[in-house]
Amino acid sequence: MRAIDDSSEKYAAVLRELRIWKHLPESDLSRMLRRYFLVTDDFREMEDQGLLTMTFVGDEYMISQTMLGQIWLEQYEADQRQKEQYNVR
């Protein structure tokens, strides 16, 4: 049996906050989503996938959502609604 690490829920939580706030310092975003134990490497992974951008400002990263991140979140939420719809019936 193989374990699969699906980070989709974590990514969606980050992108939802960025949809509301547009951009946030890394420390604020990590604090807001404390249950996911986010570290810089998590954000870098998302940046590598094109979902967000990280710009070093002052003494930490400022994180912003990309257009691809917005599209990814919309698709993820549509998929979740569809799953819920099928589970309810």
Side-chain angles (χ1 to χ4, degrees):
M1 189 157 71
R2 194 173 104 199
I4 297 173
D5 182 23
D6 184 13
S7 301
S8 298
E9 184 180 336
K10 175 174 48 175
Y11 289 1
V14 169
L15 295 171
R16 281 187 194 109
E17 291 299 329
L18 292 174
R19 179 172 53 194
I20 295 167
W21 294 96
K22 307 297 181 220
H23 57 272
L24 286 166
E26 178 184 3
S27 60
D28 290 353
L29 193 51
S30 295
R31 201 170 310 120
M32 293 167 92
L33 300 170
R34 186 168 293 161
R35 69 180 258 200
Y36 295 104
F37 303 103
L38 295 163
V39 295
T40 303
D41 285 343
D42 295 315
F43 298 117
R44 284 189 181 130
E45 183 178 308
M46 292 180 72
E47 184 180 40
D48 289 344
Q49 294 180 28
L51 303 176
L52 54 80
T53 59
M54 298 173 63
T55 306
F56 203 74
V57 177
D59 62 347
E60 69 179 314
Y61 287 104
M62 184 65 68
I63 300 175
S64 304
Q65 187 177 39
T66 63
M67 181 63 76
L68 180 60
Q70 293 172 15
I71 293 168
W72 184 94
L73 181 58
E74 289 171 8
Q75 184 64 50
Y76 176 82
E77 290 176 339
D79 291 346
Q80 292 303 309
R81 283 191 299 273
Q82 188 174 21
K83 284 181 186 176
E84 289 174 12
Q85 184 179 24
Y86 286 121
N87 288 336
V88 171
R89 294 181 181 177

